[in-house]
Amino acid sequence: MNIVVLGLSHHSSPVELRERFAFAEAKIPDALASLRESGNVSEAVILSTCNRVEIYAATALTPDAAIPELKRFLQRWGEMPEALEVGSSRCDDQAAQRAVPTTTGDELYSFAEPQSLEHLFKVACGLDSMVLGETEILGQLKQAYALAHRHGQTGARLNKAFQRAFNVAKHVRTETNIQRGSVSVASVAVELAEKIFSSLKNREVMVLGAGDTSEKTARALLSRGACSLIIASRTHDRAQALAQELGGRAVPFGDWDAEFAKIDIVISSTAAPHHILDRAKLEPLMKLRHHRPLLLIDIAVPRDIDPEVNFLENVYLYNIDDLQAIADDYLKQRKEEIARCEAIIAEKVKGLLESKIIQPRIDTDGHGFQTLTGPA
């Protein structure tokens, strides 16, 4: 029994195509049943996320015979109108609502053993992710496996392979620095805030402007314990909508400085052509705050905050280039760990394949007694 993989991901295809072939979670059990009923595979797991759609299958067919059958299955699925539900693969991109292609060429990739197992292990470890070393994919992979297992669509081969993948991911996370540091602007901002304030509990956040990056940063700060959020934008309706969504409060843009006395963290991302906060304006505001530490995160281009404010006591200013430089440095450190991770994966794949060769399979006969048969 061989394990093969067929899929498409952010490496090989645009979001419009990935969404076309995405599987709604509620439909995956039927899709797995249909795949197995075809007689081409004995076991199967379907992983469908924003960044990838992959079929993992155990089959008695040769890879040359099995992979074309999986391609036909996936393409038939992509042509079914009911197969796609916007947002069903945990992807919020509105591109899913547009007309998209239903055929694939080089976008599809496939692997047979041992590359199929190496790919599974790399996915579990975050080595194949858009954000190198991220852990969200491991949770998604566990959910995909659990769903298939719960519906009886996995067996000895995939059970062992996926359990080994989860163990390898834990090993890599423990033995390497592949997850070290923050590699997004939002997560770097949170890391800086936690260094300055030790804890974000009871810290108050102000957002000036309501752009995408400032929203992500605000969400990240709130998720780590920030207690309240004030949003000021020249588009007050947008500020109100975002405040309602995040459980914050919107104030008129012209009144943001009146709220400054209780603020600990400011995220600024307006479209102003000039500085909206300079040293002359901030100095009296800092006196009102009794010179408590203030973190200013300026992600606007052109910059919203005059760099001169950094000379004020207890003021910590970081602009978008500062944050990106920190993120890039962490990413470089993560990339330096790839070789170590791949060495661990190669060793574990070798061990799994050797156990397949030498370990007999335990079956049950018609009377419920266990019998030994050849390798799986």
Side-chain angles (χ1 to χ4, degrees), residues 16-32:
E16 291 87 353
L17 190 60
R18 299 198 304 275
E19 286 173 334
R20 181 61 196 161
F21 290 91
F23 290 80
E25 186 173 348
K27 296 183 182 296
I28 287 179
D30 289 342
L32 289 169

Side-chain angles (χ1 to χ4, degrees), residues 98-354:
R98 301 195 297 266
V100 292
T102 58
T103 58
T104 57
D106 295 337
E107 297 90 350
L108 278 176
Y109 49 79
S110 59
F111 301 106
E113 293 181 2
Q115 288 81 10
S116 57
L117 294 171
E118 290 173 355
H119 178 76
L120 170 61
F121 289 8
K122 286 180 180 179
V123 169
C125 295
L127 294 186
D128 198 58
S129 295
M130 185 177 292
V131 178
L132 181 64
E134 58 94 6
T135 57
E136 183 180 8
I137 185 61
L138 178 60
Q140 292 169 331
L141 193 63
K142 286 182 176 180
Q143 290 173 12
Y145 167 70
L147 182 62
H149 184 268
R150 190 164 61 247
H151 286 84
Q153 306 297 355
T154 65
R157 285 292 283 134
L158 287 187
N159 286 343
K160 190 167 187 177
F162 273 79
Q163 290 298 332
R164 188 67 58 88
F166 302 149
N167 289 335
V168 170
K170 182 178 179 180
H171 187 172
V172 163
R173 197 163 57 245
T174 303
E175 298 297 324
T176 74
N177 291 320
I178 194 63
Q179 294 172 350
R180 179 182 178 183
S182 304
V183 293
S184 72
V185 167
S187 56
V188 168
V190 170
E191 183 176 312
L192 290 172
E194 289 179 328
K195 286 180 178 178
I196 292 168
F197 298 107
S198 298
S199 169
L200 296 183
K201 186 178 181 182
N202 299 323
R203 300 300 173 182
E204 303 206 21
V205 179
M206 173 179 284
V207 174
L208 301 177
D212 181 61
T213 305
S214 57
E215 177 184 341
K216 289 179 180 177
T217 306
R219 287 181 185 276
L221 290 166
L222 290 171
S223 72
R224 298 300 287 267
C227 68
S228 68
L229 177 67
I230 295 174
I231 301 172
S233 173
R234 286 189 172 88
T235 308
H236 194 59
D237 289 345
R238 167 65 178 152
Q240 287 181 317
L242 185 58
Q244 184 174 4
E245 185 178 347
L246 299 182
R249 179 167 60 91
V251 299
F253 188 78
D255 297 341
W256 63 264
D257 50 348
E259 306 284 342
F260 218 77
K262 54 190 176 185
I263 296 300
D264 300 292
I265 302 167
V266 177
I267 306 163
S268 191
S269 180
T270 76
H274 50 74
H275 295 145
I276 64 170
L277 183 62
D278 56 22
R279 182 170 182 169
K281 186 168 187 176
L282 182 58
E283 203 155 10
L285 293 175
M286 285 299 290
K287 290 180 180 178
L288 291 175
R289 300 177 67 262
H290 304 291
H291 296 282
R292 298 187 339 269
L294 174 67
L295 173 60
L296 302 173
I297 301 168
D298 185 358
I299 52 181
V301 178
R303 289 174 291 179
D304 282 339
I305 304 173
D306 187 342
E308 288 288 313
V309 304
N310 242 335
F311 292 102
L312 295 175
E313 186 179 1
N314 283 333
V315 173
Y316 304 88
L317 169 65
Y318 294 88
N319 62 39
I320 188 68
D321 284 352
D322 298 328
L323 299 177
Q324 194 60 58
I326 295 170
D328 288 347
D329 185 55
Y330 280 133
L331 182 58
K332 180 182 176 182
Q333 293 178 39
R334 289 189 180 194
K335 286 180 177 178
E336 290 171 353
E337 294 293 294
I338 290 176
R340 291 182 62 197
C341 296
E342 290 179 339
I344 292 171
I345 288 172
E347 178 187 351
K348 299 299 182 182
V349 166
K350 182 180 178 182
L352 182 58
L353 290 175
E354 287 175 349

